[in-house]
Amino acid sequence: MDVTDAATEMTIWWGCADCTVDVELTAADAAGFLPTCPDCSGSLHELWRWELRAA
């Protein structure tokens, strides 16, 4: 039986409108807040997300 928590195993790609950097974070890393850009002080916006495929 697969007991993977899909909410924490989801990958989300974020983009910064200020400096155009793209960042990949797990859903657990971005849960509950809007991430800030690692390269500038801009905020990130969600580009796309996907879940890991069950084995």
Side-chain angles (χ1 to χ4, degrees):
M1 173 167 60
D2 184 12
V3 293
T4 303
D5 182 3
T8 59
E9 295 299 322
M10 183 179 299
T11 300
I12 304 172
W13 274 93
W14 301 84
C16 179
D18 293 341
C19 70
T20 66
V21 72
D22 292 337
V23 180
E24 178 184 11
L25 298 172
T26 65
D29 291 336
F33 65 94
L34 183 62
T36 56
C37 179
D39 291 348
C40 73
S41 61
S43 61
L44 299 175
H45 61 278
E46 185 177 329
L47 298 173
W48 62 85
R49 62 175 62 204
W50 66 88
E51 296 178 14
L52 295 176
R53 190 180 82 163

